[in-house]
């Protein structure tokens, strides 16, 4: 079975957008492979995750490193 496993850290991305003269700022969190992680998951499980990619089945599993060890 071809399962690739690696440990990754969340990236926090901040941006700005101007709409009708007003500037808005926003933040969001991503993992490699451009996977979006909700802020609620970051608050609950932290910033370190494990990505398991099964090439044969085409499945990606994201696990919290904190949950895996504890």
């Amino acid at each position: 079975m071809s399962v690739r496993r690696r440990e990754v850290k969340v990236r926090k991305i901040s941006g700005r957008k101007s709409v009708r003269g007003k500037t808005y700022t926003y933040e969001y969190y991503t993992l490699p492979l451009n996977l979006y992680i909700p802020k609620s998951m970051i608050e609950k499980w932290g910033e370190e995750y494990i990505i398991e990619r099964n090439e044969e089945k085409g499945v990606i599993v994201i696990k919290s490193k904190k949950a895996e060890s504890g």
Side-chain angles (χ1 to χ4, degrees):
M1 195 152 86
S2 175
V3 176
R4 289 183 163 182
R5 179 182 167 114
R6 68 182 194 178
E7 294 180 10
V8 295
K9 190 165 180 162
V10 172
R11 288 184 310 186
K12 180 178 179 181
I13 300 184
S14 300
R16 271 191 260 172
K17 185 169 184 137
S18 294
V19 178
R20 297 182 189 163
K22 228 178 179 184
T23 302
Y24 297 92
T25 59
Y26 57 90
E27 295 177 342
Y28 63 97
Y29 301 89
T30 64
L31 292 172
L33 306 173
N34 289 329
L35 299 170
Y36 167 77
I37 297 289
K39 185 177 180 180
S40 60
M41 281 185 68
I42 303 300
E43 291 169 350
K44 184 174 183 179
W45 299 106
E47 295 186 354
E48 295 182 358
Y49 290 85
I50 297 170
I51 296 180
E52 292 180 354
R53 224 170 60 183
N54 187 329
E55 306 254 338
E56 295 171 0
K57 294 180 181 178
V59 176
I60 297 173
V61 177
I62 301 170
K63 299 178 184 177
S64 166
K65 191 173 176 185
K66 185 190 260 187
E68 176 102 350
S69 65

